[in-house]
């Protein structure tokens, strides 16, 4: 069989080595309410009259992800609600550069707003990685209680201190699951010596090493071939990436571990946002908050639909013994290591929602 390289990347942004596709999937768009009325390939049409403020909004996510539909709608509503005073041009799918490039552009003011994954912004705001700690969140109720509550306030405060400004609530960059070709991964014992592909991330590598696995960093566009040729035994990703990358052709099992959840954050250039009059700031925050709230529902619905679709394609779904994974991580000192790195207050805010982890 000739190796096939999948066209799309992880559900995470493409600055970890996960490239985004610029070709939208019609199948996925039909799953989203937003996509029914929004052609995702349309980036921007100019305002009817000159705006008082002309800003840019960028994302690194592929066009068929729900976040782009919702943010495009938000920019349209902002233009309308401001009577054309604020025009935000929308540039999805890394059109203005990788996430690393875009972070630099937001700092300099070349781009005013950026949707970015927490795992990516953690390179400049280390506390943002706290939502990636392994086997913490068991469901979305815990997720939203955390990022909409005290922990989210602490993360946004650190974002604001880093030279950016946090503009809105968090969005959903999805839970990640473990897939395998040879066996289901139900307990830590199943990961002993297991060769698993991970993105380039200290948190991801630390997690799987602590569980006794052999994590290997491989670019997503090389993952299909790596699985096909048995370079690695399995991988971990959200269901969207597993489906879009056709990984179901070279994997048999998906264990719903929910081992890592990642948010989206809306970053703003501090000076550009401060220059907006108070009424326009309120419009921006209101409409971006609305976009993220609607996107949360889109992702949850999409993941449910994709589970059914993947099962029909031959994937066998398994459920992990999460308590055994958490105990193994505690015994390996994983939680203590990251608690010391993040500090007592953020860790207490996390444990207030998910329970004691060490």
């Amino acid at each position: 069989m000739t190796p096939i390289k999948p066209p799309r990347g992880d559900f995470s942004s493409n600055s970890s080595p996960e490239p985004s596709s610029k070709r939208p999937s019609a199948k996925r768009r039909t799953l989203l309410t937003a996509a029914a009325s929004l052609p995702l390939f349309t980036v921007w049409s100019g305002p009817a009259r000159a705006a008082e403020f002309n800003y840019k909004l960028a994302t690194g996510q592929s066009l068929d992800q729900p976040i782009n539909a919702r943010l495009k709608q938000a920019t349209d509503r902002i233009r309308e609600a401001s009577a054309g005073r604020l025009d935000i041009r929308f540039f999805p799918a890394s059109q203005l550069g990788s996430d690393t490039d875009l972070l630099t552009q937001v700092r300099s003011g070349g781009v005013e707003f950026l949707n970015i994954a927490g795992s990516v912004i953690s390179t400049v705001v280390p506390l943002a990685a706290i939502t990636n700690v392994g086997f913490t969140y068991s469901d979305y109720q815990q997720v939203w209680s955390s990022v909409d509550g005290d922990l989210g306030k602490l993360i946004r405060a650190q974002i604001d201190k880093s030279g950016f400004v946090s503009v809105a609530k968090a969005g959903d960059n999805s839970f990640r699951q473990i897939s395998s070709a040879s066996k289901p991964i139900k307990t830590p014992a199943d990961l002993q010596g297991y060769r698993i592909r991970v993105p380039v991330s200290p948190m991801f590598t630390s997690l799987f090493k602590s569980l006794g696995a052999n994590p290997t960093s491989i670019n997503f566009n090389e993952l299909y071939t790596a699985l096909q040729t048995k370079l690695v035994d399995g991988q971990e990703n959200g269901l969207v990436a597993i489906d879009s990358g056709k990984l179901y052709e070279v994997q048999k099992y998906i264990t719903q571990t929910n081992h890592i959840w990642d948010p989206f954050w809306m970053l703003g250039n501090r000076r550009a946002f401060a220059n907006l009059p108070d009424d326009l700031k309120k419009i921006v925050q209101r409409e971006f908050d609305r976009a993220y709230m609607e996107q949360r529902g889109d992702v949850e619905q999409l993941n449910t639909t994709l589970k059914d679709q993947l099962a029909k394609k031959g994937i066998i779904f398994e459920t992990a013994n999460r308590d055994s994974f958490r105990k193994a991580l505690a015994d390996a000192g994983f939680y203590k290591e990251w608690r010391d790195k993040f500090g007592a207050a953020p860790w207490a805010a996390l444990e207030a929602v998910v329970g004691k982890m060490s």
Side-chain angles (χ1 to χ4, degrees):
M1 178 177 179
T2 303
I4 301 172
K5 293 185 179 181
R8 282 181 283 271
D10 282 26
F11 207 29
S12 57
S13 299
N14 74 329
S15 66
S16 322
E18 330 294 12
S20 299
S21 169
K22 297 184 180 180
R23 178 174 297 176
S25 165
K27 178 179 70 176
R28 268 177 204 84
R29 291 205 306 273
T30 61
L31 298 175
L32 306 176
T33 302
S37 59
L38 173 65
L40 289 180
F41 53 81
T42 299
V43 176
W44 174 70
S45 57
R49 62 178 184 176
E52 186 178 349
F53 299 92
N54 288 283
Y55 286 176
K56 299 184 186 75
L57 164 62
T59 80
Q61 289 69 53
S62 58
L63 287 173
D64 56 356
Q65 291 194 26
I67 190 63
N68 287 307
R70 294 306 186 181
L71 290 179
K72 179 60 170 67
Q73 290 175 337
T75 61
D76 291 341
R77 291 194 301 264
I78 289 169
R79 187 180 303 115
E80 181 178 358
S82 68
R85 294 166 59 204
L86 173 57
D87 183 69
I88 302 177
R89 291 176 290 169
F90 184 46
F91 297 90
S94 301
Q95 292 183 10
L96 299 182
S98 69
D99 281 334
T100 302
D101 297 330
L102 291 170
L103 281 170
T104 300
Q105 292 182 55
V106 174
R107 281 189 184 278
S108 67
V111 170
E112 285 78 17
F113 297 110
L114 170 63
N115 178 77
I116 194 165
S119 54
V120 177
I121 193 180
S122 67
T123 59
V124 293
V125 185
L127 184 59
I130 195 170
T131 59
N132 301 147
V133 174
F135 292 92
T136 51
Y137 300 114
S138 59
D139 54 38
Y140 275 115
Q141 181 177 351
Q142 289 187 347
V143 162
W144 303 130
S145 294
S146 177
V147 296
D148 290 340
D150 291 340
L151 183 61
K153 292 177 182 177
L154 291 171
I155 295 172
R156 287 192 292 271
Q158 289 301 309
I159 290 174
D160 293 346
K161 290 179 180 179
S162 69
F164 303 103
V165 58
S166 174
V167 179
K169 294 179 179 290
D172 186 7
N173 197 20
S174 194
F175 279 106
R176 298 175 79 97
Q177 321 298 347
I178 297 176
S179 73
S180 171
S182 59
K183 63 180 181 179
I185 306 297
K186 295 183 177 181
T187 69
D190 297 321
L191 282 175
Q192 297 304 304
Y194 190 75
R195 295 172 301 166
I196 186 168
R197 177 270 177 182
V198 297
V200 178
S201 163
M203 179 67 76
F204 284 73
T205 301
S206 173
L207 169 64
F208 284 99
K209 281 187 175 181
S210 297
L211 291 170
N214 294 324
T216 302
S217 296
I218 299 173
N219 288 344
F220 189 87
N221 62 353
E222 301 171 350
L223 176 55
Y224 187 104
T225 301
L227 292 168
Q228 187 181 46
T229 59
K230 310 299 183 183
L231 179 62
V232 289
D233 302 313
Q235 62 89 51
E236 55 79 53
N237 254 305
L239 295 185
V240 171
I242 292 172
D243 182 63
S244 67
K246 299 185 183 299
L247 302 187
Y248 52 83
E249 295 180 350
V250 286
Q251 299 281 268
K252 183 177 181 180
Y253 302 96
I254 294 177
T255 304
Q256 293 186 275
T257 50
N258 287 354
H259 57 276
I260 282 178
W261 177 80
D262 200 25
F264 283 130
W265 294 105
M266 176 63 73
L267 303 185
N269 173 270
R270 182 185 299 278
R271 185 181 303 105
F273 190 72
N275 285 341
L276 293 176
D278 288 344
D279 62 328
L280 294 187
K281 289 178 183 175
K282 290 179 181 179
I283 291 173
V284 167
Q285 291 174 320
R286 181 189 72 207
E287 297 304 336
F288 282 153
D289 275 348
R290 175 181 169 183
Y292 282 118
M293 293 299 291
E294 291 172 339
Q295 183 262 357
R296 294 179 183 184
D298 292 338
V299 172
E300 192 165 5
Q301 178 184 352
L302 183 58
N303 281 333
T304 300
T305 304
L306 284 176
K307 181 179 178 180
D308 293 339
Q309 292 178 357
L310 288 167
K312 291 177 181 178
K313 292 174 180 177
I315 289 292
I316 299 172
F317 279 87
E318 303 283 355
T319 301
N321 183 334
R322 288 178 53 84
D323 290 341
S324 66
F325 281 98
R326 187 180 278 193
K327 182 178 185 304
L329 289 173
D331 291 345
F334 173 83
Y335 293 123
K336 182 181 185 304
E337 174 189 353
W338 287 98
R339 180 187 62 206
D340 292 343
K341 289 181 179 179
F342 291 129
W347 197 260
L350 179 62
E351 288 190 329
V353 173
V354 303
K356 297 291 289 185
M357 292 183 291
S358 59

